[in-house]
């Protein structure tokens, strides 16, 4: 097993990884920017190294400084968390060149799935159903028009290098297509340095359903059920739950097995998420994330499997923790992403947390790196913490979530807590009757047609 892991991240996920390392008896190294010197992950790690000034590109994304930190501390592996360098294939290769372990998939798989066009091609080849669209990148508007007419408007123009919902534009009709292509291309160029875009049929009221997978890198792989992440704002997930309120056990087993089989064929290593849109009983692959996800605790709650711990174990050559038959889904879990944002305008609200009281009790988990008196810096994402609630049924889970949301106190900054307190009492939410546009319609106050 690894002796010492350097955690190349910050915030709640750094803490989450640290906890798994502690349970495995592995020493930990925290890295931090000058803005995070007082952060919880720094306080709890065995050792810490300052790797640069506040901007991420100079610290958390600074590969030479991360390598130096490994060298100074004698760490033998790096856990990248999510975001930052977690889906950077070159980083994984550089670590290997320095005889350092990377806790994540093989570099070739990170690279393959990082290119959404290649990812879709691979998915199709492996028997995973994909969204109808262009076969590859779109080179000119005439070609795009032919594809769009064949699949039918509205269509979505998406960046090949996309992520975080950037580089995506809808063309409702043929008149919008040229503009959508140039806007998406420009956005992609400035965000990712790659202007290539492709076309997809724009689905009207799908749900976002994703399958959690785990592979041993030698041809063994299992799936751990799904998470429904349809409640989104600007393509960013806000609330995630599992199992999905609309999936039957048979449908779950079918799509889960399709994904697991694909992972076996690829000899995929580590945790991964195969993301789908789901409409009228059909699944359509959109992308695969080759890292641990923010919403992984939902799956942990309903399967009892510690995904981060298993991710570390398989990276070290261990066998999978269970066979597919041994993995069972038990009860229901919901995660709320509590952000330091105004709950109506969503303007970031960094600052000092004056009072903090996390909720507790049976089935309630908080993954957060904040504490009373902590100042949320303005440089990074605005996640204050994740509230994850588990119950025997969805109804019990909602009941418990309502109670936990009433109990939690975060004073001094604005948070999205009031939004969750309203959502958990909304009839559509209680009925599980929502799709990927529901939340934006709810927020804009328009009449909600289902
Ligand atoms: P990113 O990598 O930027 O997160 P994704 O491909 O994962 O992009 O898509 C993010 C979200 O955008 C999805 O969860 C969904 O809400 C929406 N979306 C993506 N593709 C489509 C599509 N073909 N039709 C409708 N909505 C889509």
């Amino acid at each position: 097993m690894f002796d010492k892991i350097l955690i190349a991240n910050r915030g709640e996920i750094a803490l989450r990884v640290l906890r798994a390392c502690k349970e495995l008896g592995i020493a930990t190294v925290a890295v931090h920017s000058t803005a995070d010197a007082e952060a919880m992950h720094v306080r709890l790690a065995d050792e810490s190294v300052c790797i640069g000034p506040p901007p991420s590109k100079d610290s958390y994304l600074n590969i030479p400084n991360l390598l130096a930190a490994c060298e100074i501390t004698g760490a033998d592996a790096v856990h990248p968390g999510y975001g930052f360098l977690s889906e950077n294939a070159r980083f994984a290769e550089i670590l290997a060149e320095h005889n350092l372990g990377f806790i994540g998939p093989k570099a070739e798989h990170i690279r393959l799935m990082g290119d959404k066009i290649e990812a879709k091609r691979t998915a199709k080849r492996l028997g995973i159903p994909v969204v109808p669209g262009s076969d590859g990148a779109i080179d000119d508007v005439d070609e795009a028009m032919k594809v769009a007419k064949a699949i039918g408007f509205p269509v979505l123009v998406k960046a090949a290098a996309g992520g975080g919902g950037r580089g995506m534009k809808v063309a409702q009709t043929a008149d919008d297509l040229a503009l959508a292509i140039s806007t998406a291309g420009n956005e992609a160029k400035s965000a990712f340095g790659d202007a290539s875009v492709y076309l997809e049929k724009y689905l009207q009221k799908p749900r976002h359903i994703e399958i959690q997978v785990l592979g041993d890198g030698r041809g063994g792989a299992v799936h751990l059920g799904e998470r429904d992440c349809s409640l989104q704002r600007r393509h960013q997930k806000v609330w995630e739950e599992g199992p999905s309120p609309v999936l039957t056990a048979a449908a779950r087993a079918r799509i889960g097995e399709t994904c697991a089989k694909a992972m076996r064929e690829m000899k995929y290593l580590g945790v991964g998420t195969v993301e789908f849109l789901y409409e009228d009983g059909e699944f359509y692959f959109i992308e695969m994330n080759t890292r641990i996800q923010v919403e992984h605790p939902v799956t942990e709650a309903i399967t009892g499997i510690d995904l981060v711990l298993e991710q570390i174990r398989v990276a070290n050559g261990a066998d999978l923790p269970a066979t597919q038959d041994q993995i069972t889904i038990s009860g229901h879990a919901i995660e709320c992403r509590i952000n330091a944002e105004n709950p109506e305008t969503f303007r970031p609200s960094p600052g000092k947390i004056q009072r903090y009281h996390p909720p507790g009790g049976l089935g309630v988990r908080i993954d957060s790196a904040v504490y009373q008196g902590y100042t949320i810096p303005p440089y990074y994402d605005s996640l204050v913490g994740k509230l994850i609630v588990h119950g025997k049924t969805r109804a019990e889970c909602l009941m418990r979530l309502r109670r936990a949301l009433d109990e939690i106190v975060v004073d001094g900054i604005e948070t999205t807590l009031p939004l969750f307190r309203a959502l958990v009492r909304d009839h559509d939410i209680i009925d599980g009757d929502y799709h990927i546009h529901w939340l934006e319609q709810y927020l804009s106050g328009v009449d909600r047609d289902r």
Side-chain angles (χ1 to χ4, degrees):
M1 189 44 98
F2 304 121
D3 290 320
K4 196 187 268 190
I5 291 178
L6 181 139
I7 304 164
N9 217 302
R10 63 180 302 281
E12 68 88 20
I13 193 63
L15 221 54
R16 171 70 190 88
V17 174
L18 198 144
R19 287 176 176 140
C21 292
K22 268 218 146 90
E23 290 184 15
L24 288 166
I26 301 171
T28 50
V29 179
V31 291
H32 65 90
S33 69
T34 49
D36 279 341
E38 300 295 314
M40 205 62 169
H41 73 283
V42 177
R43 295 182 181 201
L44 291 184
D46 296 310
E47 289 169 77
S48 64
V49 181
C50 179
I51 48 163
S56 306
K57 68 172 186 4
D58 301 324
S59 49
Y60 297 102
L61 294 171
N62 186 330
I63 296 177
N65 287 5
L66 286 164
L67 290 174
C70 288
E71 171 127 17
I72 293 164
T73 56
D76 52 4
V78 172
H79 194 303
Y82 52 66
F84 295 133
L85 294 167
S86 61
E87 288 175 296
N88 183 320
R90 189 64 200 125
F91 180 55
E93 284 166 352
I94 291 171
L95 290 177
E97 286 158 14
H98 288 79
N99 284 320
L100 293 164
F102 174 72
I103 299 165
K106 299 166 188 169
E108 60 183 292
H109 290 155
I110 301 176
R111 188 166 283 125
L112 181 69
M113 294 303 171
D115 179 331
K116 296 174 103 180
I117 293 174
E118 281 308 314
K120 252 182 109 169
R121 276 201 192 115
T122 307
K124 216 167 161 177
R125 183 169 56 74
L126 293 170
I128 296 175
V130 303
V131 190
S134 58
D135 260 339
I138 285 290
D139 293 322
D140 62 75
V141 177
D142 289 345
E143 183 196 340
M145 194 63 81
K146 272 192 211 131
V147 177
K149 285 193 171 143
I151 58 179
F153 282 94
V155 297
L156 188 60
V157 184
K158 292 173 88 169
R166 281 171 304 174
M168 242 190 270
K169 286 282 165 287
V170 184
Q172 292 294 347
T173 66
D175 295 342
D176 309 332
L177 190 61
L179 184 61
I181 290 173
S182 63
T183 330
N186 288 340
E187 211 173 294
K189 178 85 190 154
S190 67
F192 316 109
D194 173 2
S196 25
V197 294
Y198 62 106
L199 278 196
E200 251 175 25
K201 181 158 185 62
Y202 183 68
L203 300 173
Q204 303 285 341
K205 284 181 185 173
R207 298 181 79 109
H208 173 117
I209 297 183
E210 57 186 35
I211 306 290
Q212 177 71 54
V213 293
L214 174 66
D216 64 9
R218 301 183 298 270
V222 289
H223 75 87
L224 294 103
E226 82 283 8
R227 295 180 290 258
D228 192 321
C229 313
S230 304
L231 288 177
Q232 306 181 348
R233 184 181 161 270
R234 298 205 174 151
H235 306 301
Q236 301 277 357
K237 299 161 188 168
V238 170
W239 154 309
E240 301 100 346
E241 62 181 298
S244 167
V246 296
L247 223 57
T248 63
R252 169 175 316 112
R254 213 163 37 239
I255 192 68
E257 183 46 34
T258 302
C259 294
K261 184 165 163 279
M263 295 307 118
R264 279 177 218 130
E265 247 174 270
M266 283 173 71
K267 295 196 168 58
Y268 187 78
L269 172 64
V271 294
T273 302
V274 190
E275 297 194 333
F276 293 95
L277 294 178
Y278 178 77
E279 193 170 63
D280 300 330
E282 299 288 336
F283 283 96
Y284 303 97
F285 171 88
I286 43 173
E287 67 164 344
M288 176 169 181
N289 292 320
T290 53
R291 53 168 164 84
I292 193 76
Q293 303 228 165
V294 176
E295 59 273 24
H296 75 276
V298 167
T299 302
E300 295 185 327
I302 58 175
T303 61
I305 292 176
D306 184 324
L307 287 170
V308 178
L309 191 140
E310 296 306 336
Q311 185 188 22
I312 297 171
R313 289 184 65 249
V314 295
N316 200 57
D319 290 335
L320 296 174
T323 61
Q324 192 65 62
D325 290 347
Q326 289 165 344
I327 297 169
T328 50
I329 306 292
S330 140
H332 195 94
I334 298 174
E335 173 181 281
C336 300
R337 294 194 195 191
I338 302 160
N339 284 342
E341 290 168 354
N342 177 290
E344 278 158 25
T345 62
F346 296 92
R347 238 202 354 257
S349 167
K352 186 168 176 176
I353 297 179
Q354 302 289 359
R355 276 197 326 142
Y356 178 61
H357 172 77
L362 181 64
V364 177
R365 165 177 172 180
I366 285 271
D367 274 21
S368 172
V370 308
Y371 52 86
Q372 191 153 312
Y374 174 72
T375 299
I376 296 184
Y379 312 103
Y380 313 107
D381 68 30
S382 54
L383 189 65
V384 175
K386 308 181 304 201
L387 168 62
I388 307 102
V389 172
H390 184 231
K392 286 196 289 296
T393 59
R394 189 168 187 272
E396 183 179 282
C397 188
L398 283 168
M399 194 170 81
R400 193 162 279 161
L401 178 56
R402 234 168 268 140
R403 187 270 291 169
L405 284 166
D406 286 346
E407 193 175 324
I408 187 170
V409 177
V410 185
D411 280 351
I413 54 167
E414 286 183 304
T415 73
T416 47
L417 279 165
L419 169 65
F420 292 113
R421 291 182 184 128
L423 286 179
V424 83
R425 292 174 171 86
D426 184 278
H427 283 296
D428 285 352
I429 300 295
I430 291 169
D431 293 344
D433 186 8
Y434 55 83
H435 50 80
I436 60 167
H437 306 298
W438 186 95
L439 184 60
E440 292 198 348
Q441 290 170 2
Y442 169 88
L443 290 167
S444 68
V446 301
D447 197 18
R448 284 177 260 151
D449 91 76
R450 299 194 186 169

